[in-house]
Amino acid sequence: MKNIEFGDQLIAIVKRDVAPALGCTEPISLALASAIAVSYLGSDLVQIQAKVSPNLMKNGMGVTVPGTGMVGLPIAAAVGAIAGDANAGLEVLKNIQPKDVEQAKAMLDANQVSVDIANVDFPLYSEALVLGEQGWVKVCIQDSHTNVVLIEKNGEILFQKQAEVVEIVDDYHFFEQLTAQGIYDFAMQAPLEQIAFIAEAAKLNSALSKEGLEKEYGLHIGRTLRKQIELGLLSNDLLNRIVIETTAASDARMGGALLPAMSNSGSGNQGIAATMPSVIVARFVNANDEQLIRALFLSHTIAIYIHSKLPKLSALCAVTTAAMGSAAGMAYLLGGRFNAISMAICSMIGDISGVLCDGAANSCAMKVSTGVSSAYKAVLMALDNSRVTGNEGIVEHSVDKSINNLCAIATKSMVYMDRQIIEIMSTKEQDC
């Protein structure tokens, strides 16, 4: 990592992939497509016809859209079209008001909004066709949550990215040059002012955690577990503080709180899992600002490094891989060097490598709690020179090879599992 340009490129990717996001990023992507489309419409909105990839449908069916009190993609498309900020990216819904929500609900009641599955091969795809009194506009987003590839109005192409340009958007091949050791070395040596931006993650996600502990969002897991401390059923130790405060942030985020999460790799929950454990451990050990910044940069960058080897959306719950980043941050704050970090990640791969993504929902907060709990236990094992060894399962002696094995399973074998999950979810009977 001695090459300045190499470090600059890594920082640029982290800055791009660690960004504020209001609400679950899959429905938010559709809301953004709708908002951009309406900005070009030029007449009153009459109807919305949306299409999304199967994976985006999976991740948008059961999650609460911020500020609406409703779940699902139709309300996201409607409120995005009515009041979304087309220039705000993943914070497209930051300015919605109650009257906007009522208008969006009225559109749904009048059957003016439809969301269907698109016949596309892209895991991440959202398309909004908005019809007005005097014409129509279509906007397509592909490959990443804010990557607009097409704007078409009344049959005229206003903007289009060529296929080769779309492919360039995915610069994760850069990580093929890296190792976990190289990322650790850079996080420890980088000039502090170059990575200080990551401190914003602690600010945003801590605010979400506080919100989740003060109010009942989603499954309110964080609040529920905190009550058990008061009842004497749980102890007020560091592990439980990590689980409670991290999970509370996910409760609020999935339950529709109008506060942004600092996301990682396009996911607010991944950002929460990569942030809060280091924040809580830093507070416990009285770490200074520099130590917290380096821990957060290490955690988020390791999370991005692992996610770069995964499909954009898959059957593997990527909160667990983001928690592997948090294991790195916690191990550093607790005095461990790279060897401890390597051991902890390998143990996590041996522990929670099979956690499934069955769509974004309030229950994601439970997976967040599972991921960060595994991370902390793996760190304690590593600090005692214990780990899941390279003789066991898919784990190898090398942390990078272990990561590659996990990601190969998600990229290949779990493709079939993903189809089964989507089939099950799409045919379930819904509560009236």
Side-chain angles (χ1 to χ4, degrees), residues 64-102:
T64 304
V65 177
T68 68
M70 296 180 66
V71 302
L73 292 164
I75 187 65
V79 78
I82 290 166
D85 184 341
N87 299 310
L90 293 176
E91 293 185 275
V92 59
L93 299 183
K94 64 181 180 181
N95 296 321
I96 64 170
Q97 301 296 322
K99 62 180 179 60
D100 304 318
V101 177
E102 290 307 311

Side-chain angles (χ1 to χ4, degrees), residues 3 24 34 44 47 65 67 70 76 88 95 133 144 181 199 265 349 384 388 403 431:
N3 189 311
C24 177
S34 293
D44 289 341
Q47 190 175 12
V65 177
M70 296 180 66
N95 296 321
E133 294 179 342
S144 68
Q181 173 83 63
S265 305
I349 292 172
D384 197 42
V388 174
I403 290 170
D431 290 337

Side-chain angles (χ1 to χ4, degrees), residues 179-195:
T179 63
Q181 173 83 63
I183 291 171
Y184 169 79
D185 291 341
F186 182 76
M188 297 300 103
Q189 299 165 10
L192 190 63
E193 65 273 12
Q194 293 185 16
I195 61 174

Side-chain angles (χ1 to χ4, degrees), residues 79-240:
V79 78
I82 290 166
D85 184 341
N87 299 310
L90 293 176
E91 293 185 275
V92 59
L93 299 183
K94 64 181 180 181
N95 296 321
I96 64 170
Q97 301 296 322
K99 62 180 179 60
D100 304 318
V101 177
E102 290 307 311
Q103 187 178 346
K105 290 179 179 178
M107 285 193 72
L108 267 59
D109 291 341
N111 295 317
Q112 293 174 283
V113 183
S114 64
V115 181
D116 298 309
I117 293 180
N119 184 21
V120 296
D121 295 327
F122 313 109
L124 203 165
Y125 178 85
S126 59
E127 171 188 313
L129 174 66
V130 298
L131 294 87
E133 294 179 342
Q134 300 176 11
W136 56 269
V137 178
K138 181 168 73 173
V139 171
C140 301
I141 291 176
Q142 175 186 314
D143 293 323
S144 68
H145 296 85
T146 59
N147 183 42
V148 177
V149 297
L150 176 70
I151 302 175
E152 181 180 1
K153 181 175 182 178
N154 299 328
E156 179 186 355
I157 303 296
L158 303 182
F159 171 80
Q160 185 172 24
K161 281 187 179 178
Q162 300 301 318
E164 59 269 20
V165 176
V166 174
E167 291 175 3
I168 290 173
V169 171
D170 184 0
D171 56 6
Y172 281 159
H173 63 273
F174 167 76
F175 283 98
E176 295 173 4
Q177 309 170 55
L178 299 185
T179 63
Q181 173 83 63
I183 291 171
Y184 169 79
D185 291 341
F186 182 76
M188 297 300 103
Q189 299 165 10
L192 190 63
E193 65 273 12
Q194 293 185 16
I195 61 174
F197 66 89
I198 205 72
E200 186 69 9
K203 178 181 176 182
L204 292 186
N205 291 336
S206 292
L208 262 179
S209 176
K210 181 179 178 182
E211 179 78 1
L213 287 173
E214 290 178 349
K215 302 174 184 177
E216 291 201 349
Y217 288 98
L219 300 181
H220 47 86
I221 303 164
R223 281 172 60 90
T224 297
L225 294 180
R226 188 176 63 176
K227 289 178 184 177
Q228 309 317 309
I229 293 176
E230 299 167 2
L231 295 173
L233 297 177
L234 286 176
S235 62
N236 189 21
D237 58 20
L238 183 54
L239 169 59
N240 284 324

